Amino acid sequence: YVNSDDTLLPGAVSEMVAAFAADPGLVMVYGDALYTDAQSRQTGYLPSRAWDPPAMVRDVDNHVVQPSSMWTRRAWRCAGPFDARGYYFFDFELYLRLSVLGPAKRVPRPWSTYRAHAASKSVGDPFGKARDWLRFADEFLTSDRLPEELRTYAREGRASARIQGRFGAPTYTGR
């Protein structure tokens, strides 16, 4: 899905739909993005990473580039909606819930732009993001919303989230 700061690149939706048509068992497809600045100038490349839910929980590291992702209606009905209490990780939580419904496919090409600027959540509000690291650790990773298959990784994930919430994780700079 696309936030107000991001855009889909030409052909992205057609390619996402084609990926679902080629493999009807998929619950989600996702790709890469182009970083842009506040004036929509390209500043870098944001690669998605391999679908690995255990590692994503252990490291509290979202491998999916949010504006370059699409999931099925069935997946949304089973795993949605977003948790409105989440400030930054609501999409990551959904992806983890989707992980038990079926496979996700990474397509390593840019499907969107990802705008990084001073007022964006990714760059501009480190305290809001830090609070959400802790909420994610204390609420999501200890709840039944985390799929049972991933709960064995939750303790490591809680430690990772606390460290990153306290000391900060790498910041999206678009460079």
Side-chain angles (χ1 to χ4, degrees):
Y1 71 98
V2 180
N3 282 324
S4 62
D5 275 347
D6 307 321
T7 62
L8 288 173
L9 295 172
V13 173
S14 296
E15 291 178 23
M16 290 175 184
V17 170
F20 283 120
D23 187 349
L26 292 174
V27 296
M28 182 172 70
V29 296
Y30 64 101
D32 302 342
L34 303 176
Y35 275 121
T36 59
D37 63 16
Q39 289 75 40
S40 298
R41 294 178 299 232
Q42 185 177 339
T43 60
Y45 194 89
L46 175 57
S48 57
R49 284 164 287 144
W51 183 247
D52 186 349
M56 292 162 66
V57 172
R58 273 193 314 268
D59 301 331
V60 187
D61 189 15
N62 189 356
H63 294 188
V64 177
V65 176
Q66 165 259 307
S68 294
S69 66
M70 180 185 281
W71 50 85
T72 65
R73 180 182 302 192
R74 181 186 74 78
W76 176 256
R77 285 183 181 153
C78 292
F82 293 124
D83 185 341
R85 294 172 299 170
Y87 171 77
Y88 190 77
F89 295 107
F90 57 91
D91 55 343
F92 184 35
E93 292 174 17
L94 176 70
Y95 303 148
L96 293 174
R97 293 191 311 266
L98 289 173
S99 73
V100 296
L101 301 177
K105 180 179 181 178
R106 175 181 182 255
V107 177
R109 60 175 266 99
W111 279 341
S112 68
T113 64
Y114 190 105
R115 192 172 309 201
H117 57 87
S120 68
K121 281 185 180 182
S122 299
V123 176
D125 186 6
F127 295 112
K129 193 172 179 181
R131 283 188 297 274
D132 211 39
W133 283 106
L134 299 178
R135 181 203 57 82
F136 183 84
D138 294 341
E139 294 179 21
F140 181 74
L141 290 178
T142 61
S143 75
D144 61 359
R145 294 187 318 267
L146 178 67
E148 187 172 343
E149 296 85 339
L150 298 175
R151 291 181 191 162
T152 59
Y153 311 104
R155 184 177 173 142
E156 284 180 80
R158 291 186 72 214
S160 293
R162 291 191 162 283
I163 290 167
Q164 292 178 71
R166 172 68 174 94
F167 298 107
T171 302
Y172 296 117
T173 62
R175 297 189 198 320

